[in-house]
Amino acid sequence: MPPPSLNRTYSYYSDEIAKLQQVVSALRQVPAATQYLVAEIVLIRSASLLESAIAEVAYKITAGALYLDGTAPILLHRANSMHAARTAMLSVGRSRQRQFLKWTRANYIADSVGYVIDPADNYRVVCTRVGSVISEIFKVRNFAAHRSTTSRNEFRNVVRSIYGRNRRMQLGYFLLSSDYVPVPNINRYLVQTRVIISDLTKR
């Protein structure tokens, strides 16, 4: 069986993010309340795509996929399938087998792949470099999805880090407004997501 391909991963996720960018571009034609709702849905969908892409790239390179520039990943453990790669991440080098893997923070990713993908490999290097972006996207996603006290506090911290001070604002306004920021945050998140996936696959 041939090794899995990162080209399919890159193409699928890039195309899906492009569709979301088209949705955002068309939002000016609908009422503001609807714009805010759709922006939240786009955010949740894009974060889900990012999470899946981060996991899929890890499984594929562990199972023998080459990066899209033709280079081989630096591995600590090689698997013969994506399923075996996930199993290895849950068990290899661990005193007790993990029940699940996490992909929404750089430190979670490092822990998930720590005994399988070398720290010097492109995948690990990219995840570390863009860790603050990944964290921000998922903090805002968590607030959109859950509206819990913890997620609200994390969202407020994101707002403060972007705008330089505390600002009371609806999530939809935060995502779509160009006030005080070069581009609306939802547009920035979509671009950053595409870039992360490109960098992870070495497109």
Side-chain angles (χ1 to χ4, degrees):
M1 179 181 294
S5 170
L6 287 182
N7 189 56
R8 295 182 63 182
T9 300
Y10 172 79
S11 296
Y12 172 75
Y13 289 104
S14 183
D15 288 349
E16 290 299 303
I17 294 298
K19 293 175 186 176
L20 296 179
Q21 290 176 310
Q22 292 174 356
V23 170
V24 172
S25 296
L27 282 180
R28 296 173 185 172
Q29 304 172 21
V30 300
T34 304
Q35 291 182 30
Y36 288 0
L37 176 61
V38 173
E40 292 189 27
I41 294 170
V42 167
L43 171 70
I44 292 170
R45 170 63 176 160
S46 64
S48 176
L49 289 168
L50 177 59
E51 184 175 6
S52 295
I54 291 170
E56 186 172 310
V57 172
Y59 298 149
K60 283 191 171 183
I61 62 174
T62 303
L66 298 177
Y67 286 114
L68 295 181
D69 67 352
T71 58
I74 307 170
L75 301 177
L76 303 174
H77 178 88
R78 172 77 179 268
N80 58 14
S81 69
M82 291 176 64
H83 176 74
R86 183 177 184 278
T87 300
M89 291 174 192
L90 290 168
S91 59
V92 170
R94 304 191 186 278
S95 57
R96 294 179 59 187
Q97 180 164 317
R98 294 290 180 86
Q99 297 301 308
F100 54 87
L101 303 167
K102 298 171 68 174
W103 309 100
T104 59
R105 298 287 192 278
N107 60 318
Y108 297 164
I109 297 168
D111 182 66
S112 292
V113 305
Y115 296 99
V116 173
I117 302 175
D118 193 281
D121 181 66
N122 174 76
Y123 179 91
R124 297 279 302 271
V125 171
V126 169
C127 288
T128 299
R129 187 180 73 235
V130 300
S132 62
V133 176
I134 294 172
S135 177
E136 181 181 325
I137 290 172
F138 284 107
K139 285 177 181 178
V140 180
R141 187 282 307 267
N142 288 345
F143 180 58
H146 305 300
R147 292 301 204 277
S148 65
T149 299
T150 298
S151 65
R152 184 180 300 276
N153 289 337
E154 289 189 334
F155 172 65
R156 287 172 176 167
N157 290 337
V158 169
V159 170
R160 184 166 56 251
S161 70
I162 292 173
Y163 296 96
R165 64 183 180 86
N166 293 325
R167 289 183 180 273
R168 294 178 62 86
M169 59 176 62
Q170 295 182 39
L171 177 56
Y173 180 85
F174 167 84
L175 292 172
L176 290 174
S177 174
S178 58
D179 293 345
Y180 312 109
V181 290
V183 297
N185 289 307
I186 188 62
N187 297 70
R188 175 169 61 86
Y189 290 152
L190 291 172
V191 169
Q192 289 173 324
T193 296
R194 291 187 78 174
V195 170
I196 291 169
I197 294 168
S198 177
D199 289 350
L200 285 175
T201 58
K202 298 182 78 170
R203 180 68 162 82

